[in-house]
Amino acid sequence: MPLHARFAVDFDRDADGYEFLRLPRQGITDMAFLLTNTFQASDLQIEAVGHEPLVVVAHPDHPLTRRKAVQVTDFAGENVLLSRSDCSYRRGFERILDESKVEPGSILEFNSVATLKECVCAGVGISILPEVAAREETQRGRLAVLRWRDQGLRCKTLMIWHQDKWLSPALEAFMTISRDVLGNFDKAA
């Protein structure tokens, strides 16, 4: 007999902002992961299980990729491609631009991280993304990570479930594995 009952995992990297949190609230899904630094909800249990480094990416032939290091002022006049306005790392990046009084050439907003990445790969502009979201494209040479002097940006990985949710042994085991894997990833980063 297996140690845990079968269960399914559905990963949706392009979930519709915070709207996907209705799923654990309505009992449609058991838990969710969210990349953000802060989130509060009285009906949900929220646990920070790791950190995800953020990277600024561009097309490999972009002029900024040839520099030993870039700083926030180098982003002046650049087309900046960003995730939805409810995205925490977008807000953090915009705050850095505002505090440094850096005016991008234009800001393009995307609902889909996949579409955003394809536009950066096509040379439309630069973007900030979780390293995990850009990993495949950087390994294939379709994106380049800029050596940003002001780097060190990261966002938390939050594990979220409804406060009244019964945690089956299978779900508890998955949560434990998630804490171990994401916590160890955080220490390696």
Side-chain angles (χ1 to χ4, degrees):
M1 176 171 215
L3 180 60
H4 302 291
R6 280 185 47 189
F7 67 97
V9 178
D10 180 16
F11 293 95
D12 185 357
R13 289 193 273 175
D14 291 327
D16 186 17
Y18 290 108
E19 177 61 22
F20 83 97
L21 292 174
R22 72 178 167 72
L23 301 175
R25 284 185 166 121
Q26 295 174 351
I28 295 169
T29 189
D30 293 330
M31 62 181 290
F33 290 93
L34 182 64
L35 295 177
T36 187
N37 284 319
T38 59
F39 181 76
Q40 295 179 347
S42 61
D43 61 332
L44 298 174
Q45 293 291 321
I46 302 162
E47 179 182 341
V49 293
H51 287 90
E52 179 62 32
L54 301 173
V55 293
V56 177
V57 294
H59 184 277
D61 292 334
H62 191 286
L64 291 178
T65 63
R66 294 188 283 279
R67 295 191 182 184
K68 288 183 181 178
V70 296
Q71 47 195 338
V72 69
T73 54
D74 294 324
F75 303 147
E78 295 291 336
N79 291 333
V80 177
L81 287 61
L82 297 171
S83 297
R84 297 167 47 100
S85 60
D86 63 354
C87 174
S88 70
Y89 57 84
R90 172 205 172 135
R91 290 190 309 267
F93 188 64
E94 286 181 314
R95 188 173 35 255
I96 290 168
L97 293 174
D98 288 344
E99 289 170 358
S100 301
K101 298 181 179 20
V102 171
E103 291 289 328
S106 60
I107 293 179
L108 303 165
E109 181 176 305
F110 293 81
N111 290 329
S112 163
V113 172
T115 305
L116 183 154
K117 290 189 297 184
E118 287 303 314
C119 288
V120 176
C121 289
V124 175
I126 64 171
S127 186
I128 186 164
L129 291 169
E131 190 276 334
V132 69
R135 186 176 300 146
E136 182 177 332
E137 289 81 3
T138 55
Q139 289 174 344
R140 290 184 175 179
R142 298 185 67 223
L143 286 179
V145 175
L146 300 180
R147 292 170 291 281
W148 185 18
R149 216 177 260 171
D150 302 324
Q151 252 185 17
L153 287 179
R154 351 184 263 175
C155 61
K156 291 179 184 173
T157 303
L158 303 180
M159 186 166 55
I160 302 168
W161 65 98
H162 194 277
Q163 68 180 5
D164 297 329
K165 172 71 182 157
W166 174 73
L167 304 179
S168 69
L171 183 58
E172 284 183 340
F174 181 75
M175 293 169 78
T176 298
I177 291 168
S178 297
R179 288 179 188 107
D180 291 345
V181 169
L182 295 170
N184 285 334
F185 177 80
D186 182 36
K187 291 174 186 141

